[in-house]
Amino acid sequence: MLLDIEVKNLKSFKNETIFSMEAENIIEDRNFFEVEIGKEKFQLLKTAVLFGRNSSGFMLF
């Protein structure tokens, strides 16, 4: 299970960047699910897409 990913010097990401799969500010969005790890509960996104211009880098999580 992927909770977050850190990248640095990868394609167009020169500085360290953290992509988190934790959902924020959920009102009535159904694009998340809850998972319990130990005593902690997390609301995680089902899908996430990062895109940009051609040759700038592309990742799909």
Side-chain angles (χ1 to χ4, degrees):
M1 176 181 326
L2 183 66
L3 295 178
D4 59 355
I5 187 170
E6 297 178 27
V7 295
K8 182 177 180 182
N9 290 331
L10 175 71
K11 303 273 185 179
S12 62
F13 297 100
K14 182 178 180 180
N15 298 325
E16 183 175 305
T17 305
I18 301 172
F19 297 99
S20 176
M21 293 298 291
E22 284 193 65
E24 294 184 1
N25 303 328
I26 299 171
I27 298 173
E28 292 212 19
D29 189 13
R30 301 287 183 224
N31 189 31
F32 73 93
F33 62 96
E34 282 193 355
V35 65
E36 190 171 330
I37 301 174
K39 294 182 179 182
E40 292 187 65
K41 288 185 179 180
F42 295 95
Q43 293 177 331
L44 303 177
L45 298 172
K46 292 180 182 177
T47 57
V49 177
L50 176 67
F51 61 93
R53 300 179 309 170
N54 288 339
S55 300
S56 66
F58 174 82
M59 288 188 270
L60 175 63
F61 301 106

